[in-house]
Amino acid sequence: MTIEKYDQILVAIKESKTIIIHRHKNPDPDALGSQGGLAEIIKASFPAKKVLKTGGSVGDLAYLTTMDEISDEDYQEALVIVADTANTPRISDERYKNGKKLVKIDHHPNDDAYGDIVLVNTNASSTSEIIADFCFYNKDELKMTDEAAKLLYAGIVGDTGRFLYPATTPKTMRIVADLMEFSFKPDEINRKMTAMSQKVAHLSGYVLQNIAIDPSGVGKVILTKAIMEQFGVTDAETSAIVSLPSSIEDIVLWGIFVEQSDGHYRCRLRSKGPIINEVAKKHDGGGHPLASGANAKDLVEVNEIIEQLIQVAEQR
Ligand code: AMP
């Protein structure tokens, strides 16, 4: 199935003069790694093609890749590839609909199977792993470059939590080994990806100090606008603290609830085992079984989510 899709995607790339690559809003290293890595591979393999990346601000991840200026005309006759994005509302840049053909490449559950070609592999650790596999599988026609290998490595490190999460497989490690044969500095990427500002370090202290753990093992931290202002951090910077509770032994699953400027809460949910994405789906969200996101309109809905998470934890 996957191989058939690899073949179809390679044909679509070869047929197109312009390829525009999208990814999800609030990009993480896997979104940018898979988007940027694929762009580098196509550019190196087919130098005559126009390859563009879109999706707006990349926040503090500009050391990985940045976006291109794209006109509406660029979409005429273009192949549009959307990387690492489970559902259409999460695609950054709505013009993804304006191309000639649409391809989805992703590793999240395929609840929204948009696109003319849908390549979804939920067994892959990351979309970056899929892109690397796609390139190595087609090694006679696609060229991996040092820059692409660096970006894909970063995406895999990001989505596996530095190879700690269960999605890390022997295949992940084989692909990482092949990527590390290229010339880039993995230690430098690792350092950049784990580096935090002093204000985020202080917020980390707050999270560990204030996390409430219920008897079923559900951890909860609410980061109100006032707390965010007190520490001087933005919503995007909360990525650095989301995995912190995993090292607390009593915690089975947890939520970090980040108040947004309009008063709603971005809910960042994680689990060591029990499946939590079904709860996320009930609250304007979704994601992976063990790493999901949702939106709560107010604290009442935050508490509903916590109650539902407690039920999940109690059923294990
Ligand atoms: P985050 O906490 O934002 O890092 O999200 C964790 C995972 O859940 C990622 O794989 C996201 O793609 C997914 N996710 C986050 N928010 C949403 C949402 N509103 N709808 C669907 N999936 C989401």
mmCIF file of all heavy atoms in Angstrom, residues 234-284:
data_model
loop_
_atom_site.group_PDB
_atom_site.id
_atom_site.type_symbol
_atom_site.label_atom_id
_atom_site.label_comp_id
_atom_site.label_asym_id
_atom_site.label_seq_id
_atom_site.Cartn_x
_atom_site.Cartn_y
_atom_site.Cartn_z
ATOM 1 N N THR A 234 5.277 33.095 25.477
ATOM 2 C CA THR A 234 4.180 33.032 24.508
ATOM 3 C C THR A 234 3.616 31.609 24.479
ATOM 4 O O THR A 234 4.249 30.671 24.960
ATOM 5 C CB THR A 234 4.698 33.355 23.094
ATOM 6 O OG1 THR A 234 5.671 32.356 22.755
ATOM 7 C CG2 THR A 234 5.328 34.729 23.029
ATOM 8 N N ASP A 235 2.463 31.492 23.839
ATOM 9 C CA ASP A 235 1.832 30.182 23.665
ATOM 10 C C ASP A 235 2.809 29.202 22.994
ATOM 11 O O ASP A 235 2.957 28.053 23.430
ATOM 12 C CB ASP A 235 0.578 30.369 22.802
ATOM 13 C CG ASP A 235 -0.068 29.062 22.433
ATOM 14 O OD1 ASP A 235 -0.445 28.324 23.359
ATOM 15 O OD2 ASP A 235 -0.176 28.770 21.237
ATOM 16 N N ALA A 236 3.510 29.672 21.941
ATOM 17 C CA ALA A 236 4.417 28.783 21.198
ATOM 18 C C ALA A 236 5.515 28.235 22.107
ATOM 19 O O ALA A 236 5.961 27.096 21.942
ATOM 20 C CB ALA A 236 5.036 29.536 20.025
ATOM 21 N N GLU A 237 5.924 29.047 23.085
ATOM 22 C CA GLU A 237 7.023 28.613 23.956
ATOM 23 C C GLU A 237 6.618 27.510 24.931
ATOM 24 O O GLU A 237 7.481 26.891 25.561
ATOM 25 C CB GLU A 237 7.599 29.815 24.718
ATOM 26 C CG GLU A 237 8.428 30.702 23.813
ATOM 27 C CD GLU A 237 8.834 32.014 24.464
ATOM 28 O OE1 GLU A 237 7.945 32.725 24.984
ATOM 29 O OE2 GLU A 237 10.025 32.332 24.453
ATOM 30 N N THR A 238 5.303 27.243 25.044
ATOM 31 C CA THR A 238 4.876 26.179 25.968
ATOM 32 C C THR A 238 5.255 24.791 25.437
ATOM 33 O O THR A 238 5.231 23.824 26.190
ATOM 34 C CB THR A 238 3.360 26.226 26.263
ATOM 35 O OG1 THR A 238 2.637 26.032 25.038
ATOM 36 C CG2 THR A 238 2.949 27.540 26.898
ATOM 37 N N SER A 239 5.636 24.702 24.151
ATOM 38 C CA SER A 239 6.084 23.400 23.604
ATOM 39 C C SER A 239 7.202 22.811 24.459
ATOM 40 O O SER A 239 7.288 21.595 24.617
ATOM 41 C CB SER A 239 6.612 23.566 22.191
ATOM 42 O OG SER A 239 5.595 24.039 21.373
ATOM 43 N N ALA A 240 8.055 23.698 24.957
ATOM 44 C CA ALA A 240 9.240 23.234 25.695
ATOM 45 C C ALA A 240 8.877 22.594 27.039
ATOM 46 O O ALA A 240 9.693 21.866 27.608
ATOM 47 C CB ALA A 240 10.188 24.406 25.927
ATOM 48 N N ILE A 241 7.659 22.856 27.545
ATOM 49 C CA ILE A 241 7.343 22.326 28.886
ATOM 50 C C ILE A 241 6.304 21.200 28.851
ATOM 51 O O ILE A 241 6.009 20.602 29.877
ATOM 52 C CB ILE A 241 6.900 23.454 29.859
ATOM 53 C CG1 ILE A 241 5.751 24.308 29.275
ATOM 54 C CG2 ILE A 241 8.055 24.366 30.181
ATOM 55 C CD1 ILE A 241 4.411 23.861 29.661
ATOM 56 N N VAL A 242 5.778 20.902 27.656
ATOM 57 C CA VAL A 242 4.667 19.936 27.585
ATOM 58 C C VAL A 242 5.075 18.537 28.052
ATOM 59 O O VAL A 242 4.294 17.831 28.677
ATOM 60 C CB VAL A 242 4.086 19.864 26.151
ATOM 61 C CG1 VAL A 242 3.001 18.823 26.063
ATOM 62 C CG2 VAL A 242 3.505 21.192 25.756
ATOM 63 N N SER A 243 6.302 18.132 27.760
ATOM 64 C CA SER A 243 6.684 16.759 28.120
ATOM 65 C C SER A 243 7.223 16.635 29.542
ATOM 66 O O SER A 243 7.469 15.532 30.021
ATOM 67 C CB SER A 243 7.705 16.224 27.122
ATOM 68 O OG SER A 243 8.866 17.003 27.218
ATOM 69 N N LEU A 244 7.404 17.759 30.240
ATOM 70 C CA LEU A 244 8.010 17.713 31.577
ATOM 71 C C LEU A 244 7.334 16.733 32.542
ATOM 72 O O LEU A 244 8.010 15.972 33.217
ATOM 73 C CB LEU A 244 7.940 19.115 32.224
ATOM 74 C CG LEU A 244 8.991 20.143 31.868
ATOM 75 C CD1 LEU A 244 8.745 21.405 32.683
ATOM 76 C CD2 LEU A 244 10.374 19.591 32.160
ATOM 77 N N PRO A 245 5.969 16.714 32.618
ATOM 78 C CA PRO A 245 5.340 15.843 33.612
ATOM 79 C C PRO A 245 5.611 14.359 33.401
ATOM 80 O O PRO A 245 5.433 13.557 34.321
ATOM 81 C CB PRO A 245 3.837 16.155 33.454
ATOM 82 C CG PRO A 245 3.811 17.551 32.900
ATOM 83 C CD PRO A 245 4.990 17.608 31.977
ATOM 84 N N SER A 246 6.083 13.967 32.221
ATOM 85 C CA SER A 246 6.289 12.532 31.961
ATOM 86 C C SER A 246 7.299 11.914 32.919
ATOM 87 O O SER A 246 7.261 10.720 33.188
ATOM 88 C CB SER A 246 6.735 12.298 30.516
ATOM 89 O OG SER A 246 8.035 12.769 30.349
ATOM 90 N N SER A 247 8.186 12.729 33.454
ATOM 91 C CA SER A 247 9.194 12.143 34.349
ATOM 92 C C SER A 247 8.686 11.973 35.782
ATOM 93 O O SER A 247 9.387 11.427 36.629
ATOM 94 C CB SER A 247 10.475 12.981 34.320
ATOM 95 O OG SER A 247 10.149 14.319 34.573
ATOM 96 N N ILE A 248 7.459 12.408 36.061
ATOM 97 C CA ILE A 248 6.904 12.233 37.419
ATOM 98 C C ILE A 248 6.256 10.852 37.488
ATOM 99 O O ILE A 248 5.357 10.534 36.702
ATOM 100 C CB ILE A 248 5.884 13.346 37.738
ATOM 101 C CG1 ILE A 248 6.558 14.725 37.620
ATOM 102 C CG2 ILE A 248 5.272 13.127 39.125
ATOM 103 C CD1 ILE A 248 5.624 15.899 37.762
ATOM 104 N N GLU A 249 6.711 10.000 38.411
ATOM 105 C CA GLU A 249 6.304 8.592 38.343
ATOM 106 C C GLU A 249 4.818 8.367 38.606
ATOM 107 O O GLU A 249 4.238 7.442 38.059
ATOM 108 C CB GLU A 249 7.177 7.702 39.239
ATOM 109 C CG GLU A 249 7.181 8.068 40.689
ATOM 110 C CD GLU A 249 8.211 7.258 41.485
ATOM 111 O OE1 GLU A 249 8.967 6.478 40.872
ATOM 112 O OE2 GLU A 249 8.257 7.434 42.712
ATOM 113 N N ASP A 250 4.153 9.209 39.396
ATOM 114 C CA ASP A 250 2.725 8.982 39.691
ATOM 115 C C ASP A 250 1.822 9.357 38.519
ATOM 116 O O ASP A 250 0.638 9.048 38.515
ATOM 117 C CB ASP A 250 2.290 9.827 40.898
ATOM 118 C CG ASP A 250 2.969 9.357 42.165
ATOM 119 O OD1 ASP A 250 3.327 8.164 42.215
ATOM 120 O OD2 ASP A 250 3.156 10.180 43.080
ATOM 121 N N ILE A 251 2.368 10.046 37.546
ATOM 122 C CA ILE A 251 1.518 10.543 36.453
ATOM 123 C C ILE A 251 1.377 9.503 35.342
ATOM 124 O O ILE A 251 2.354 8.922 34.884
ATOM 125 C CB ILE A 251 2.076 11.862 35.892
ATOM 126 C CG1 ILE A 251 1.849 12.961 36.927
ATOM 127 C CG2 ILE A 251 1.427 12.231 34.565
ATOM 128 C CD1 ILE A 251 2.209 14.344 36.476
ATOM 129 N N VAL A 252 0.102 9.282 34.947
ATOM 130 C CA VAL A 252 -0.208 8.344 33.867
ATOM 131 C C VAL A 252 -0.488 9.117 32.581
ATOM 132 O O VAL A 252 -0.049 8.746 31.496
ATOM 133 C CB VAL A 252 -1.457 7.509 34.249
ATOM 134 C CG1 VAL A 252 -1.860 6.602 33.100
ATOM 135 C CG2 VAL A 252 -1.199 6.705 35.506
ATOM 136 N N LEU A 253 -1.232 10.184 32.729
ATOM 137 C CA LEU A 253 -1.506 11.061 31.586
ATOM 138 C C LEU A 253 -1.701 12.473 32.124
ATOM 139 O O LEU A 253 -1.925 12.659 33.319
ATOM 140 C CB LEU A 253 -2.718 10.552 30.792
ATOM 141 C CG LEU A 253 -4.040 10.390 31.535
ATOM 142 C CD1 LEU A 253 -4.884 11.647 31.402
ATOM 143 C CD2 LEU A 253 -4.805 9.200 30.957
ATOM 144 N N TRP A 254 -1.582 13.456 31.228
ATOM 145 C CA TRP A 254 -1.637 14.817 31.747
ATOM 146 C C TRP A 254 -2.094 15.810 30.680
ATOM 147 O O TRP A 254 -2.071 15.519 29.484
ATOM 148 C CB TRP A 254 -0.293 15.250 32.327
ATOM 149 C CG TRP A 254 0.840 15.395 31.361
ATOM 150 C CD1 TRP A 254 1.298 16.538 30.790
ATOM 151 C CD2 TRP A 254 1.685 14.352 30.847
ATOM 152 N NE1 TRP A 254 2.365 16.283 29.957
ATOM 153 C CE2 TRP A 254 2.624 14.943 29.977
ATOM 154 C CE3 TRP A 254 1.744 12.959 31.047
ATOM 155 C CZ2 TRP A 254 3.600 14.200 29.301
ATOM 156 C CZ3 TRP A 254 2.718 12.229 30.370
ATOM 157 C CH2 TRP A 254 3.628 12.844 29.521
ATOM 158 N N GLY A 255 -2.500 16.979 31.195
ATOM 159 C CA GLY A 255 -2.913 18.069 30.307
ATOM 160 C C GLY A 255 -2.293 19.372 30.765
ATOM 161 O O GLY A 255 -2.207 19.649 31.964
ATOM 162 N N ILE A 256 -1.812 20.128 29.792
ATOM 163 C CA ILE A 256 -1.355 21.492 30.065
ATOM 164 C C ILE A 256 -2.365 22.387 29.341
ATOM 165 O O ILE A 256 -2.533 22.265 28.122
ATOM 166 C CB ILE A 256 0.059 21.748 29.509
ATOM 167 C CG1 ILE A 256 1.030 20.641 29.929
ATOM 168 C CG2 ILE A 256 0.541 23.151 29.831
ATOM 169 C CD1 ILE A 256 1.977 20.908 31.037
ATOM 170 N N PHE A 257 -3.019 23.257 30.080
ATOM 171 C CA PHE A 257 -4.117 24.056 29.527
ATOM 172 C C PHE A 257 -3.647 25.506 29.449
ATOM 173 O O PHE A 257 -3.412 26.149 30.473
ATOM 174 C CB PHE A 257 -5.356 23.906 30.414
ATOM 175 C CG PHE A 257 -5.803 22.462 30.519
ATOM 176 C CD1 PHE A 257 -5.291 21.625 31.518
ATOM 177 C CD2 PHE A 257 -6.693 21.919 29.604
ATOM 178 C CE1 PHE A 257 -5.673 20.286 31.596
ATOM 179 C CE2 PHE A 257 -7.080 20.588 29.676
ATOM 180 C CZ PHE A 257 -6.568 19.758 30.669
ATOM 181 N N VAL A 258 -3.491 25.997 28.226
ATOM 182 C CA VAL A 258 -2.876 27.314 28.025
ATOM 183 C C VAL A 258 -3.949 28.311 27.578
ATOM 184 O O VAL A 258 -4.527 28.180 26.485
ATOM 185 C CB VAL A 258 -1.762 27.247 26.959
ATOM 186 C CG1 VAL A 258 -1.020 28.578 26.874
ATOM 187 C CG2 VAL A 258 -0.800 26.098 27.238
ATOM 188 N N GLU A 259 -4.202 29.320 28.430
ATOM 189 C CA GLU A 259 -5.227 30.314 28.090
ATOM 190 C C GLU A 259 -4.756 31.174 26.915
ATOM 191 O O GLU A 259 -3.605 31.637 26.885
ATOM 192 C CB GLU A 259 -5.530 31.198 29.303
ATOM 193 C CG GLU A 259 -6.748 32.068 29.063
ATOM 194 C CD GLU A 259 -7.118 32.950 30.257
ATOM 195 O OE1 GLU A 259 -6.329 33.023 31.232
ATOM 196 O OE2 GLU A 259 -8.180 33.597 30.202
ATOM 197 N N GLN A 260 -5.654 31.384 25.947
ATOM 198 C CA GLN A 260 -5.332 32.167 24.751
ATOM 199 C C GLN A 260 -5.877 33.592 24.895
ATOM 200 O O GLN A 260 -6.664 33.871 25.798
ATOM 201 C CB GLN A 260 -5.942 31.501 23.514
ATOM 202 C CG GLN A 260 -5.542 30.043 23.348
ATOM 203 C CD GLN A 260 -4.056 29.865 23.037
ATOM 204 O OE1 GLN A 260 -3.567 30.378 22.043
ATOM 205 N NE2 GLN A 260 -3.348 29.128 23.897
ATOM 206 N N SER A 261 -5.487 34.485 23.975
ATOM 207 C CA SER A 261 -5.877 35.899 24.125
ATOM 208 C C SER A 261 -7.393 36.080 24.161
ATOM 209 O O SER A 261 -7.905 36.964 24.842
ATOM 210 C CB SER A 261 -5.259 36.740 23.016
ATOM 211 O OG SER A 261 -5.558 36.161 21.775
ATOM 212 N N ASP A 262 -8.157 35.213 23.463
ATOM 213 C CA ASP A 262 -9.620 35.361 23.474
ATOM 214 C C ASP A 262 -10.280 34.646 24.659
ATOM 215 O O ASP A 262 -11.504 34.573 24.740
ATOM 216 C CB ASP A 262 -10.212 34.834 22.155
ATOM 217 C CG ASP A 262 -10.028 33.327 21.998
ATOM 218 O OD1 ASP A 262 -9.396 32.703 22.874
ATOM 219 O OD2 ASP A 262 -10.523 32.771 20.995
ATOM 220 N N GLY A 263 -9.478 34.110 25.558
ATOM 221 C CA GLY A 263 -10.027 33.488 26.765
ATOM 222 C C GLY A 263 -10.262 31.983 26.644
ATOM 223 O O GLY A 263 -10.548 31.321 27.637
ATOM 224 N N HIS A 264 -10.120 31.417 25.438
ATOM 225 C CA HIS A 264 -10.271 29.956 25.347
ATOM 226 C C HIS A 264 -8.940 29.288 25.707
ATOM 227 O O HIS A 264 -7.900 29.956 25.797
ATOM 228 C CB HIS A 264 -10.833 29.543 23.977
ATOM 229 C CG HIS A 264 -9.819 29.131 22.961
ATOM 230 N ND1 HIS A 264 -9.200 30.032 22.124
ATOM 231 C CD2 HIS A 264 -9.299 27.911 22.643
ATOM 232 C CE1 HIS A 264 -8.350 29.375 21.335
ATOM 233 N NE2 HIS A 264 -8.392 28.094 21.632
ATOM 234 N N TYR A 265 -8.993 27.984 25.954
ATOM 235 C CA TYR A 265 -7.792 27.269 26.389
ATOM 236 C C TYR A 265 -7.330 26.279 25.331
ATOM 237 O O TYR A 265 -8.128 25.475 24.847
ATOM 238 C CB TYR A 265 -8.060 26.502 27.694
ATOM 239 C CG TYR A 265 -8.205 27.427 28.876
ATOM 240 C CD1 TYR A 265 -9.406 28.109 29.106
ATOM 241 C CD2 TYR A 265 -7.142 27.649 29.740
ATOM 242 C CE1 TYR A 265 -9.531 28.982 30.174
ATOM 243 C CE2 TYR A 265 -7.255 28.520 30.816
ATOM 244 C CZ TYR A 265 -8.458 29.188 31.023
ATOM 245 O OH TYR A 265 -8.576 30.048 32.076
ATOM 246 N N ARG A 266 -6.051 26.383 24.968
ATOM 247 C CA ARG A 266 -5.423 25.342 24.143
ATOM 248 C C ARG A 266 -5.044 24.207 25.102
ATOM 249 O O ARG A 266 -4.343 24.433 26.094
ATOM 250 C CB ARG A 266 -4.173 25.918 23.475
ATOM 251 C CG ARG A 266 -3.394 24.875 22.709
ATOM 252 C CD ARG A 266 -2.144 25.498 22.104
ATOM 253 N NE ARG A 266 -1.429 24.531 21.302
ATOM 254 C CZ ARG A 266 -0.203 24.731 20.815
ATOM 255 N NH1 ARG A 266 0.412 25.875 21.043
ATOM 256 N NH2 ARG A 266 0.392 23.815 20.095
ATOM 257 N N CYS A 267 -5.521 23.012 24.793
ATOM 258 C CA CYS A 267 -5.309 21.884 25.701
ATOM 259 C C CYS A 267 -4.272 20.954 25.092
ATOM 260 O O CYS A 267 -4.488 20.402 24.012
ATOM 261 C CB CYS A 267 -6.614 21.102 25.902
ATOM 262 S SG CYS A 267 -8.000 22.189 26.260
ATOM 263 N N ARG A 268 -3.151 20.812 25.746
ATOM 264 C CA ARG A 268 -2.065 19.977 25.233
ATOM 265 C C ARG A 268 -2.047 18.714 26.086
ATOM 266 O O ARG A 268 -1.685 18.760 27.266
ATOM 267 C CB ARG A 268 -0.745 20.743 25.297
ATOM 268 C CG ARG A 268 -0.883 22.146 24.682
ATOM 269 C CD ARG A 268 0.430 22.815 24.435
ATOM 270 N NE ARG A 268 1.120 22.174 23.345
ATOM 271 C CZ ARG A 268 2.210 22.678 22.772
ATOM 272 N NH1 ARG A 268 2.722 23.814 23.203
ATOM 273 N NH2 ARG A 268 2.796 22.041 21.776
ATOM 274 N N LEU A 269 -2.463 17.615 25.488
ATOM 275 C CA LEU A 269 -2.706 16.378 26.238
ATOM 276 C C LEU A 269 -1.653 15.325 25.884
ATOM 277 O O LEU A 269 -1.320 15.144 24.709
ATOM 278 C CB LEU A 269 -4.111 15.845 25.920
ATOM 279 C CG LEU A 269 -5.256 16.878 25.998
ATOM 280 C CD1 LEU A 269 -6.581 16.241 25.578
ATOM 281 C CD2 LEU A 269 -5.366 17.468 27.393
ATOM 282 N N ARG A 270 -1.154 14.626 26.890
ATOM 283 C CA ARG A 270 -0.150 13.584 26.665
ATOM 284 C C ARG A 270 -0.449 12.398 27.582
ATOM 285 O O ARG A 270 -1.042 12.555 28.643
ATOM 286 C CB ARG A 270 1.263 14.104 26.997
ATOM 287 C CG ARG A 270 1.724 15.295 26.163
ATOM 288 C CD ARG A 270 1.954 14.931 24.710
ATOM 289 N NE ARG A 270 2.558 16.021 23.953
ATOM 290 C CZ ARG A 270 1.866 16.987 23.317
ATOM 291 N NH1 ARG A 270 0.533 17.015 23.362
ATOM 292 N NH2 ARG A 270 2.502 17.917 22.639
ATOM 293 N N SER A 271 0.016 11.202 27.171
ATOM 294 C CA SER A 271 -0.256 10.002 27.957
ATOM 295 C C SER A 271 0.914 9.044 27.876
ATOM 296 O O SER A 271 1.609 8.979 26.861
ATOM 297 C CB SER A 271 -1.526 9.331 27.416
ATOM 298 O OG SER A 271 -1.682 8.046 27.973
ATOM 299 N N LYS A 272 1.101 8.263 28.968
ATOM 300 C CA LYS A 272 2.130 7.218 28.940
ATOM 301 C C LYS A 272 1.561 5.904 28.416
ATOM 302 O O LYS A 272 2.300 4.951 28.247
ATOM 303 C CB LYS A 272 2.682 7.000 30.347
ATOM 304 C CG LYS A 272 3.511 8.146 30.881
ATOM 305 C CD LYS A 272 4.010 7.834 32.297
ATOM 306 C CE LYS A 272 4.732 9.022 32.899
ATOM 307 N NZ LYS A 272 4.973 8.842 34.340
ATOM 308 N N GLY A 273 0.264 5.787 28.233
ATOM 309 C CA GLY A 273 -0.318 4.508 27.770
ATOM 310 C C GLY A 273 -1.794 4.601 27.384
ATOM 311 O O GLY A 273 -2.153 4.283 26.245
ATOM 312 N N PRO A 274 -2.672 5.040 28.315
ATOM 313 C CA PRO A 274 -4.097 5.108 27.959
ATOM 314 C C PRO A 274 -4.350 6.063 26.776
ATOM 315 O O PRO A 274 -3.688 7.096 26.646
ATOM 316 C CB PRO A 274 -4.747 5.647 29.243
ATOM 317 C CG PRO A 274 -3.771 5.314 30.323
ATOM 318 C CD PRO A 274 -2.417 5.397 29.706
ATOM 319 N N ILE A 275 -5.296 5.672 25.929
ATOM 320 C CA ILE A 275 -5.570 6.418 24.689
ATOM 321 C C ILE A 275 -6.358 7.700 25.008
ATOM 322 O O ILE A 275 -7.444 7.637 25.595
ATOM 323 C CB ILE A 275 -6.423 5.546 23.731
ATOM 324 C CG1 ILE A 275 -5.773 4.171 23.515
ATOM 325 C CG2 ILE A 275 -6.690 6.264 22.412
ATOM 326 C CD1 ILE A 275 -4.441 4.195 22.845
ATOM 327 N N ILE A 276 -5.838 8.826 24.594
ATOM 328 C CA ILE A 276 -6.477 10.101 24.950
ATOM 329 C C ILE A 276 -7.035 10.885 23.760
ATOM 330 O O ILE A 276 -7.749 11.863 23.947
ATOM 331 C CB ILE A 276 -5.499 11.022 25.723
ATOM 332 C CG1 ILE A 276 -4.164 11.110 24.971
ATOM 333 C CG2 ILE A 276 -5.316 10.528 27.155
ATOM 334 C CD1 ILE A 276 -3.235 12.149 25.510
ATOM 335 N N ASN A 277 -6.738 10.435 22.528
ATOM 336 C CA ASN A 277 -7.202 11.281 21.408
ATOM 337 C C ASN A 277 -8.717 11.255 21.234
ATOM 338 O O ASN A 277 -9.287 12.175 20.648
ATOM 339 C CB ASN A 277 -6.456 10.992 20.097
ATOM 340 C CG ASN A 277 -6.571 9.563 19.615
ATOM 341 O OD1 ASN A 277 -7.040 8.697 20.347
ATOM 342 N ND2 ASN A 277 -6.134 9.315 18.407
ATOM 343 N N GLU A 278 -9.394 10.220 21.791
ATOM 344 C CA GLU A 278 -10.856 10.206 21.704
ATOM 345 C C GLU A 278 -11.441 11.352 22.547
ATOM 346 O O GLU A 278 -12.428 11.966 22.163
ATOM 347 C CB GLU A 278 -11.426 8.856 22.162
ATOM 348 C CG GLU A 278 -11.048 7.678 21.248
ATOM 349 C CD GLU A 278 -11.438 7.894 19.775
ATOM 350 O OE1 GLU A 278 -12.496 8.501 19.529
ATOM 351 O OE2 GLU A 278 -10.664 7.470 18.886
ATOM 352 N N VAL A 279 -10.820 11.636 23.675
ATOM 353 C CA VAL A 279 -11.257 12.787 24.493
ATOM 354 C C VAL A 279 -10.999 14.080 23.717
ATOM 355 O O VAL A 279 -11.864 14.959 23.628
ATOM 356 C CB VAL A 279 -10.533 12.819 25.865
ATOM 357 C CG1 VAL A 279 -10.865 14.092 26.628
ATOM 358 C CG2 VAL A 279 -10.882 11.585 26.688
ATOM 359 N N ALA A 280 -9.829 14.170 23.104
ATOM 360 C CA ALA A 280 -9.494 15.386 22.336
ATOM 361 C C ALA A 280 -10.508 15.631 21.223
ATOM 362 O O ALA A 280 -10.933 16.766 20.983
ATOM 363 C CB ALA A 280 -8.080 15.259 21.760
ATOM 364 N N LYS A 281 -10.915 14.544 20.553
ATOM 365 C CA LYS A 281 -11.843 14.694 19.419
ATOM 366 C C LYS A 281 -13.187 15.261 19.870
ATOM 367 O O LYS A 281 -13.872 15.923 19.096
ATOM 368 C CB LYS A 281 -12.070 13.332 18.742
ATOM 369 C CG LYS A 281 -10.925 12.912 17.847
ATOM 370 C CD LYS A 281 -11.285 11.612 17.139
ATOM 371 C CE LYS A 281 -10.055 10.799 16.826
ATOM 372 N NZ LYS A 281 -10.360 9.413 16.467
ATOM 373 N N LYS A 282 -13.570 14.995 21.123
ATOM 374 C CA LYS A 282 -14.861 15.516 21.621
ATOM 375 C C LYS A 282 -14.776 17.017 21.911
ATOM 376 O O LYS A 282 -15.777 17.654 22.217
ATOM 377 C CB LYS A 282 -15.236 14.797 22.919
ATOM 378 C CG LYS A 282 -15.676 13.369 22.705
ATOM 379 C CD LYS A 282 -16.204 12.799 24.024
ATOM 380 C CE LYS A 282 -16.199 11.292 23.970
ATOM 381 N NZ LYS A 282 -15.771 10.659 25.205
ATOM 382 N N HIS A 283 -13.557 17.558 21.901
ATOM 383 C CA HIS A 283 -13.394 18.969 22.260
ATOM 384 C C HIS A 283 -12.570 19.696 21.186
ATOM 385 O O HIS A 283 -11.486 20.221 21.471
ATOM 386 C CB HIS A 283 -12.724 19.078 23.639
ATOM 387 C CG HIS A 283 -13.548 18.470 24.728
ATOM 388 N ND1 HIS A 283 -14.536 19.165 25.384
ATOM 389 C CD2 HIS A 283 -13.580 17.206 25.225
ATOM 390 C CE1 HIS A 283 -15.116 18.366 26.268
ATOM 391 N NE2 HIS A 283 -14.561 17.176 26.192
ATOM 392 N N ASP A 284 -13.083 19.667 19.958
ATOM 393 C CA ASP A 284 -12.490 20.444 18.873
ATOM 394 C C ASP A 284 -11.006 20.143 18.704
ATOM 395 O O ASP A 284 -10.185 21.047 18.554
ATOM 396 C CB ASP A 284 -12.716 21.946 19.175
ATOM 397 C CG ASP A 284 -12.184 22.846 18.067
ATOM 398 O OD1 ASP A 284 -12.126 22.388 16.920
ATOM 399 O OD2 ASP A 284 -11.811 24.005 18.375
#
